Amino acid sequence: MPSWFWLPAILLVGLRLLHFGGELDDPHIWRQADTANYIWDFYQNGVDLLHPSVCWMGAHKTVIFEFPLPEAMATWVARIFWPELFWSRMLFLGIYLAGAAYFFKIIRFLTSSNLAAISTLVYMMLPLGIVYSRAVHIDFSAVLCAHAMLYYFLKAIDRESRGYFLAAMICATLGFLIKVPYLFYLAFPAVAYIQHRRQWRFFLRTSPLLLLPILSFVAWQWHVTRVNGAMPDWTFIPEYRKMDDMKGWYFGRTGDREVLAHWQLLWGRLKYEILAVIGVPLLLLGGMMQWRNFGANFMRIWAAGTLVYLMIFFMLNVHHDYYQIPYLAPLAFFVALPLHGLFTFLAQRNRVVAGLALTVCLGLFALQSIRLTEGKSLNPGEKEYFGNYFKEDELILNAGAIIRDHTPENALVVATFGGLDCRCPNLLYAARRNGWSIAKQHLTPSMMQRLKQEGATHFALLQIDPMSMEMEAYVQQYKMEQHFVKGTHWPVRVYTLR
């Protein structure tokens, strides 16, 4: 790795350390809260990789989103140090950096150390990577598995090594269990490399090892379907459903891909959250360069694979910006390509001038990404995508602390804050309590009676406006404590349901 790489890389890591608060923050506190609750429950009750727990399913608790190995690792780190989110952030940042290191190895293997270094620095500057690399979030764990898998696969084909092939399949297995959409499309550049090296005979001889990730994934999906299918039949809760059939969520409908607004949203995320605006012309220029170079064409096939991923898992990409994380690596390469071309051209004449030019270009890119992620001087277009990065929800955090202080540890709490979905963990996780999230408009005496039958012991209402007349009359029979969230006029009413 070039010596000049380390200083900017360390500065980019240091940038992330500025946002290592002890509480969850945006974007997507919701998804992070589910991940953090997996970790919290593992810490409290022991690691059970087959039965992770959410906080919004009452006493049932068990719902599986992904193979919870990253959360288990965070738990083991917490047992060594302390159960604070700081240590989870450190772990997930380390996982991100390991994925970046494998990205460097792949590009160096295919091209050169200088291009690999520039590509990796660009990768570390992309806004979406800046925020999620230090979040309590599992997606870069899947990216690490993807990059490691591809690197070891390339080495295996190059050296005809069964050992490297096995290493690739172990990484693939873990990645398939955590988040298979982030890995499957890498089969396209992998096949291209087999053809490039004319190693089909070796590949076919070792191909039975492919069964390791495939069969593991099939077995895991069988387990997920069985476990999530055992979720209670709580059809009395509006919008509730078992999570054993997620096809609609993953794939959407055919017509979804014809909605112009979806494509406009994705283009905005590409322009702002990934490329920081100034990366767009660099990407276009890089995409037109080095058509006769196999390394560049390999990355084109990688990028084309992400388009296949997009079209298959289209609505996932629409729902959440973090599903654009797989695009970071190939796009970083093509943004870096013209910068590397400029550096190489100038270095043939004067290496000092070349170094200064590269420093200025990368510095401008980094400053732009920092401005956007820090929410500084945003124009109207930028505000649609930024402005909420690294923001804690003080209302939820302080309300959760009130609920935690005025309910026993084993309480099952019905939590209500506005019209949030029944799967929303935010308030319950902030309170470190299990229970149910029920939107205000869905509260009825009959629902409360059903939830009491399911074990609900407390009702926590974070709401300024009164409930319906029927609900206000219903809760009069229970003991109530009211406390105001610090520094606000928001009351938290905590009812004891007995």
Side-chain angles (χ1 to χ4, degrees), residues 82-109:
W82 194 252
E84 298 288 344
L85 289 183
F86 173 86
W87 298 109
S88 294
R89 293 189 191 282
M90 286 295 292
L91 171 69
F92 289 122
L93 177 58
I95 288 171
Y96 164 83
L97 293 175
Y102 275 107
F103 175 59
F104 172 87
K105 288 174 177 288
I106 292 169
I107 304 304
R108 183 180 62 182
F109 182 86

Side-chain angles (χ1 to χ4, degrees), residues 9 38 55 115 119 157 186 198 249 274 297 306 310 365 397 411 415 459 462 484:
Y38 272 17
C55 57
L115 180 52
S119 298
I157 297 300
L186 292 175
R198 301 291 194 272
W249 177 257
I274 297 178
N297 289 331
T306 63
L310 168 64
F365 200 113
L397 291 173
F459 170 41
L462 174 59
F484 283 87

